[in-house]
Amino acid sequence: MTKKSQKSFSLAIHGGAGENVDKIRALEKESKESMAHVLEEGRKILAAGGTALDTVTLCVKLLEDNPLFSAGYGAAANAEGEFELDAAIMDGKTLEAGSVAAVLNIRNPVDLARLVMEKTEHIMLSGIGAGDFAKAHDIAMVTPEYFKEAHEKVPHMIERNKKHGTVGAVARDINGNLAAATSTGGWDAKMPGRIGDSPIIGAGCFADNDSGAVSCTGIGEDFMRTVLAAHIGFLIERCGLSAIDAAQEAINYLVKKVNGDGGFILVDKDGAVAIAQSSKVMRTGWIENGGETHTTLQPKIRADRKR
Ligand code: GLY
């Protein structure tokens, strides 16, 4: 590790991967501006010595509140028109984690996931129990109209790309601690009760100070079957791969094993950022070792899936 990386911070975010290039490109300017804003808010925390955990929580909350992205306010509805949301958070220092699955009427599922991590002995809460837990604590609740409003007010702003739409953040703070968070409404018109990879620790979200922090986006079933987020941690910690090599190896593995569709963001234990995709486009941005803010729809590390 270089002296610079020991003292600096890194942050990456994503606003979902997808196949509908035209729809995503039509929102390129707004998406990049929103992501740059989120990254700058994250930078403020990290530059002031704040934690990776607080940073990924805030970044995912800001993405959840933005109707450009399919999580929180802009989440996709299930086949019954209900908004069942999934989210997870993981602390790379302690390996503690929290997640919520198929929760209703929660404005910021990432907040509830963090509460599960901090206030319970469990990792995942779902359904009615998760709702009761939220009501018993200081968690912002909304009505279904809140989510419908995002669709009705700004339909052109929401990427209605079936099977895609997730947000996430990964960070390394100046003390070398890592964290990851992921949040989603899942697939458009998914079966009621369907749960994707986002709240599954090791599939759509993972952080370990000995390897890296990962947040995934794409078809959750592909990431669950390959346990991709934990697979990336294994490649770094046990196989000794760099962030870039681990990202290339993992996206190749996703395609080779299940012709997987999606992508991920990674910050490794030394602060190196790597972003990979097998989808056609992925909304993402990053700050590496305290440097400039970058945003793109075309991360460079790719694997071509069969279409
Ligand atoms: N990757 C999000 C989902 O499939 O639910």
Side-chain angles (χ1 to χ4, degrees):
M1 197 193 309
T2 64
K3 196 171 177 187
K4 180 182 172 196
S5 68
Q6 278 173 343
K7 286 289 169 201
S8 63
F9 58 84
S10 293
L11 171 64
I13 61 170
H14 69 78
E19 293 286 291
N20 194 329
V21 180
D22 290 344
K23 277 192 177 175
I24 297 175
R25 282 255 174 249
L27 301 172
E28 180 167 358
K29 185 168 176 291
E30 298 95 324
S31 298
K32 285 184 170 175
E33 283 171 3
S34 294
M35 291 191 293
H37 170 70
V38 172
L39 287 163
E40 290 309 323
E41 292 300 306
R43 183 195 292 276
K44 283 183 201 162
I45 298 179
L46 291 167
T51 66
L53 203 56
D54 285 345
T55 306
V56 298
T57 305
L58 177 73
C59 289
V60 168
K61 270 180 83 160
L62 291 171
L63 292 164
E64 286 176 339
D65 286 343
N66 187 328
L68 278 172
F69 304 104
S70 291
Y73 189 43
N78 69 18
E80 303 291 334
E82 290 181 319
F83 297 89
E84 292 182 317
L85 309 187
D86 301 336
I89 190 162
M90 186 162 186
D91 182 348
K93 182 180 176 185
T94 60
L95 301 193
E96 287 176 359
S99 76
V100 292
V103 292
L104 297 168
N105 303 331
I106 305 297
R107 176 174 164 157
N108 293 109
V110 70
D111 277 344
L112 190 55
R114 184 158 174 180
L115 202 67
V116 171
M117 178 175 79
E118 291 178 342
K119 303 280 186 207
T120 81
E121 295 177 308
H122 308 302
I123 288 181
M124 179 182 277
L125 289 183
S126 67
I128 294 167
D132 290 346
F133 179 66
K135 283 179 202 144
H137 292 82
D138 192 20
I139 289 291
M141 307 288 292
V142 291
T143 63
E145 280 60 43
Y146 171 77
F147 304 106
K148 287 180 194 155
E149 178 192 271
H151 291 211
E152 283 159 14
K153 269 171 59 178
V154 283
H156 61 291
M157 300 288 273
I158 298 172
E159 196 255 313
R160 315 307 297 149
N161 195 10
K162 193 166 165 54
K163 300 186 179 179
H164 294 86
T166 300
V167 305
V170 292
R172 177 190 188 272
D173 63 35
I174 62 170
N175 295 311
N177 293 316
L178 302 179
T182 309
S183 180
T184 191
W187 293 14
D188 238 1
K190 66 190 176 185
M191 279 180 71
R194 178 267 185 188
I195 293 164
D197 63 315
S198 302
I200 308 293
I201 298 302
C205 185
F206 181 73
D208 182 340
N209 278 7
D210 291 330
S211 54
V214 180
S215 173
C216 302
T217 171
I219 295 189
E221 285 70 5
D222 296 343
F223 289 81
M224 292 155 88
R225 290 192 287 157
T226 52
V227 203
L228 203 79
H231 182 81
I232 295 164
F234 182 89
L235 290 171
I236 293 171
E237 184 176 354
R238 303 296 296 278
C239 303
L241 268 57
S242 69
I244 286 175
D245 288 349
Q248 185 68 67
E249 177 70 24
I251 203 72
N252 291 348
Y253 179 79
L254 180 75
V255 169
K256 182 179 139 204
K257 286 285 180 180
V258 297
N259 196 33
D261 180 358
F264 59 81
I265 51 175
L266 160 68
V267 169
D268 82 359
K269 59 189 189 315
D270 301 327
V273 173
I275 300 171
Q277 68 164 348
S278 63
S279 303
K280 287 186 180 160
V281 281
M282 178 171 165
R283 296 186 286 185
T284 183
W286 70 95
I287 295 167
E288 188 171 48
N289 289 323
E292 286 175 20
T293 295
H294 302 271
T295 57
T296 187
L297 303 189
Q298 291 292 354
K300 290 199 178 78
I301 302 172
R302 304 183 52 82
D304 290 324
R305 49 186 290 274
K306 291 189 200 81
R307 293 190 168 81

